[in-house]
Amino acid sequence: MQNDELPDGVEFVAEGDGVCEYRLRANGMKLLLVENRVAPVVTFCVLYRVGSRNEAVGHTGSTHLLEHMLFKGTPTFNKELGTQIAATLQKIGADFNATTWYDRTNYYETVPSDQLELAVRLEADRMRNSFIADSDRQSEMTVVRNELERGQNEPMLVLDEAVYATAFREHPYHHPTIGWRSDVENVPTARLKEFYDTFYHPDNATAIVVGDFDPRDALALVVKHFAGVPASAAAIPEVYTDEPPQEGERRLVVRRAGELALIQIAFRTPAVLGQTSVLSRGELAARAAAPPTENDIYPLVVLSAALSSGVTSRLYQALVEEELAVSAATNCDQFRDPGLFNVYVTVRPGVEPTEVERVVLAEFARVAAEGLTESEVERAKRQILAEVAYNRDGTFNVASQISEAEAVADWRFYRDYAANISRVTQEDARRVAAKYFTEENRTVGHFIPKSDGTPDDDARDSATNVSTSGGDAGDAESKGGGDISVSASLMKPVQLVPRRVQYNRDPREGETAAAESSVAAEMHAGKSSSAAEANTPESVGRTDFASRVARAELDTGATLLVLENRATPTVSLRASLRAGSFFEPRERPGLARITADMLERGTLRRTKLQLASDLEGVGAQLEFSTDPFAVNVSGRALAQDVRLLIEALAEQLREPSFPEDELEKLKQQTIAAIKEQQSNTRHRAYERFTQVVFDPANPFHLPPGEQLVASIRSINAGDVRGFYKERFGGRSLILSVAGDARAPEVEEIFRESFARFGGPASVAVEVSDPPPQEGARREVVLVKDKASVDVLIGSAAPLRRDARDYYAALIANSALGESTLSSRLGLQVRDKEGLTYGIGSRFRAPSLAAGPWYIAVSVNPQNVERAIGSALAVLREYVERGIREDELADEKSSAIGSFKVALSTNAGLAEALWNAEFYGLGLDYVDRFPRLISEVTAEEVNAAIRKYFRPDHLTVVLAGDTAQDAPSATPLP
């Protein structure tokens, strides 16, 4: 729009690639608008140019702690009025959070389109009106400290923190974003208020709007709520500390209890616009508006992809294929100031870390001397360009990418990223490798697991054991915001956004998507709020997804669902077959997992390397996983490669070769991953919980690590081929595809690829519910040298996906603990008492059989008993009094709104289609969902509360560096 068409108070600045830049005349705030009308949702994000780079010793972590404080409320949005920020947003089903990083802090909300004004109003209000109260700081400090402690439980994060502190001596990138512990514990509230008053101003912020909106209306909303916020009265302080050149290799060793050795090697690199020194705000803006033609960041990013992205990469071939390492990843920082190029390696058990380091450095020396081949450069560029496209699917993804670009340069960095990557040449890659991958420019860190002298049993760390006791569950402890499983890799190799950990992380980060799909895709938490209009079937309007879905079924029973979506030139795929762990022989745990993973290891036509080369060469991805009942497949590709993606999947499913040499490699890698999990407190708590709650024959029972390792070792190619022949076939295949693809073309490919994929008849799933638990049980899993304890409190829950009270049960749990920020548990244990960073409750994957229900909480060892007592007190009150009418209304609104928001990406659409087909819900399920939720009554929810939540009949499992007789606080009544 031209200036004469704009609302008063706004001026047009620039535009490009769908991004329009405006500025508020009153205060100088920058505003970026990107229209995306694929789904009726919009993301609103406010970026502040303040991060941990603006801190110094004595107040490290202040930016992050202040970010937490900005959820504590304003005179308009607060607990006393029943309008607290998290509750207000969750009532409308918003996906929201805030994150802090080195160069910025951002706050975001993805909301139904008609709720944009609420998001704008809220962010404008907390920009200058936030309570920064000392009482809030005291309770939130312990929350942040527990977040810090959770990070200290992860060996790779501990090593990463140490490497950055060594590589940077003077520049504030030396400090971890979450801060040093003593600073977090002791920073005065006045210092936080000073930070707030210094940096939280409109002229230090960029507002970003992406999604389904009218530009003039969106601009008017921003003017209405932000134009009255004054600009900073003083100049925003600049960072001016440059890191001097490194003059020799630096080394460090971290020794802690753990399972596997880790190596991190970091090389100093330039900042995101190629600069090698700290620039002032004005200098950075000028450079961003007219970027230099030569920028070493882009060839370094290409090098990162070539070195570690996928099976075809240099480091995978040199380390993983040669059985020296379990995994290898690289990452090039794209920061405002000069950063690091990192290599992360998890060493295989029995291999000397020094040997692995030697191989890594030799590979880097070879690249520096010889460069990459032309095919390596082109493949890496295609992978990056595909990743750029994937990261522009969905309003939040686009807003997030623009936010990162604004933090380190400006939105033009986002706009020009793909073009700049495309221009990288072989010579560019060789030149920057020779320039930066030198001995004097590197820092090397080793994480060495400590041993107490006990022989390694190849399954558990010698400092880990299990103890058991009877007693009342009220005497136990709890941790873990719910993330039970461990992700295989710390970071992705190719992305514009930072790959290292940002704060705040979602407390449930890392939880297995397949295990939670039927719940997470349908429900999110909500709490009371009078500041937002409720979502109802009437307010969200009628949808007609059913008419847009093309469904085809082959004679074999294989089913295809396609939903066309032209928003981005990408497609997402979701598939499953009924071949999960439930169907494997009881004496062969892990066989389903191994069989599924072997599908990627070669076919009768192509070797593993050939398959990977064809997919990775165009940036396409296929990933296999298992749950109790299914082998699950997720995939994505550029629209032009949809045929390649589906045909590759069909080839892997129809004609796997199961090569014995690959089976042996996979077994060793799987065993190493199992061993690594044994030092993870979240996994250990959940593992032991399932062993206590479920019989070994139950599909949700997880065998002990040593038993699983022994079973994996014993599996041979005959076992794998036998299980494949028995369980794999088209009769149970469901494939859903969403994105920029034409349904008739996809159906044609599907029929060609799967017409002859018959296989065995699908076997009915019959699982008896465990008998109700009588009394309370408590167990402790000792995992030494851990700063935080994970606690699970729960039981087997007789809830299946087809239960009549399914929606009532999910609403009952949502009000209790689905959200760590605004549920009953979160408001008491996290918000009021400050005992934990993450607490939540959930039904874990109620599907073809009834899974567990539990409360999960992370906590400092000294706060274990108090946290458990507090959680149980909340639960008992809930069971006794039931859900409130206003609470029920808010939960319904939240469920309807969040379901709508989840459909804003191709992956979300493919998941929704698969979910409806797998559970026989019908093509119109997405359209019917709001009505299904709205019809749930208070009587049904209260009946579900009494049925599934039995506070005197629970199992409590603690995992961490604690003992049953350790001193602790007095439990609450």
Side-chain angles (χ1 to χ4, degrees), residues 115-426:
Q115 302 282 3
L116 174 59
E117 182 167 10
L118 173 64
V120 176
R121 177 189 174 201
L122 187 153
E123 291 301 345
D125 188 42
R126 70 171 159 185
M127 177 178 276
R128 293 303 315 138
N129 298 325
S130 291
F131 300 141
I132 311 293
D134 188 60
S135 58
D136 288 336
R137 196 270 312 167
Q138 292 178 39
S139 64
E140 204 62 25
M141 179 278 290
T142 54
V143 170
V144 172
R145 184 175 61 189
N146 183 242
E147 185 181 2
L148 183 153
E149 290 163 346
R150 286 162 59 100
Q152 292 297 304
N153 275 16
E154 303 297 335
M156 184 64 81
L157 298 185
V158 171
L159 179 60
D160 189 62
E161 180 182 280
V163 166
Y164 270 74
T166 302
F168 291 101
R169 188 184 66 191
E170 298 176 24
H171 188 278
Y173 287 165
H174 169 91
H175 312 299
T177 301
I178 200 167
W180 302 116
R181 183 184 181 105
S182 57
D183 286 355
V184 170
E185 290 177 330
N186 296 297
V187 63
T189 304
R191 171 68 82 169
L192 300 182
K193 184 67 164 60
E194 179 184 345
F195 241 70
Y196 180 64
D197 290 337
T198 300
F199 293 104
Y200 277 71
H201 298 284
D203 49 327
N204 195 43
T206 298
I208 303 165
V209 189
V210 181
D212 178 29
F213 60 86
D214 177 88
R216 186 177 177 86
D217 291 344
L219 290 171
L221 287 176
V222 174
V223 171
K224 175 182 176 181
H225 294 289
F226 278 95
V229 182
S232 175
I236 305 295
E238 300 274 11
V239 172
Y240 46 78
T241 304
D242 270 317
E243 183 69 24
Q246 189 168 326
E247 298 175 319
E249 182 187 75
R250 301 172 186 175
R251 285 187 167 269
L252 64 107
V253 176
V254 177
R255 295 184 185 275
R256 284 194 181 187
E259 293 289 345
L260 304 181
L262 307 172
I263 297 172
Q264 182 171 342
I265 303 174
F267 298 91
R268 295 265 296 277
T269 53
V272 75
L273 293 178
Q275 69 268 32
T276 56
S277 62
V278 174
L279 301 181
S280 70
R281 189 174 175 180
E283 291 169 335
L284 182 69
R287 191 179 181 96
T293 54
E294 184 175 289
N295 183 348
D296 290 349
I297 279 294
Y298 299 112
L300 284 167
V301 171
V302 170
L303 274 170
S304 179
L307 285 166
S308 71
S309 185
V311 171
T312 58
S313 65
R314 288 275 183 111
L315 291 181
Y316 187 97
Q317 291 295 312
L319 297 174
V320 181
E321 279 296 301
E322 296 300 321
E323 301 185 72
L324 297 174
V326 175
S327 65
T330 59
N331 169 48
C332 177
D333 287 342
Q334 296 171 69
F335 292 168
R336 174 171 173 168
D337 300 332
L340 300 178
F341 186 107
N342 286 290
V343 187
Y344 302 90
V345 182
T346 301
V347 180
R348 185 184 171 207
V351 176
E352 282 296 322
T354 51
E355 171 62 14
V356 175
E357 181 191 326
R358 185 192 65 77
V359 173
V360 171
L361 293 179
E363 196 61 48
F364 271 67
R366 185 161 73 93
V367 171
E370 304 171 8
L372 300 171
T373 66
E374 183 178 357
S375 62
E376 283 180 308
V377 172
E378 291 306 310
R379 181 169 58 244
K381 286 159 61 174
R382 285 192 293 269
Q383 288 175 320
I384 297 167
L385 296 178
E387 189 75 23
V388 169
Y390 301 144
N391 286 334
R392 298 185 181 186
D393 177 24
T395 62
F396 168 74
N397 289 335
V398 173
S400 176
Q401 295 293 296
I402 294 176
S403 172
E404 298 304 332
E406 278 287 302
V408 298
D410 76 2
W411 60 272
R412 295 171 184 83
F413 182 71
Y414 160 89
R415 179 195 65 185
D416 299 334
Y417 195 79
N420 284 322
I421 289 293
S422 297
R423 284 193 283 268
V424 174
T425 66
Q426 274 184 276

Side-chain angles (χ1 to χ4, degrees), residues 16-37:
D17 197 24
V19 182
C20 293
E21 178 184 349
Y22 303 90
R23 194 169 300 276
L24 296 188
R25 291 191 176 98
N27 53 33
M29 189 172 84
K30 190 174 183 179
L31 176 62
L32 302 175
L33 266 57
V34 182
E35 290 186 70
N36 182 326
R37 300 200 177 246

Side-chain angles (χ1 to χ4, degrees), residues 785-801:
D785 215 4
K786 299 296 181 180
S788 184
V789 176
D790 274 286
V791 180
L792 293 185
I793 310 171
S795 64
L799 178 67
R800 298 171 185 250
R801 184 59 186 78

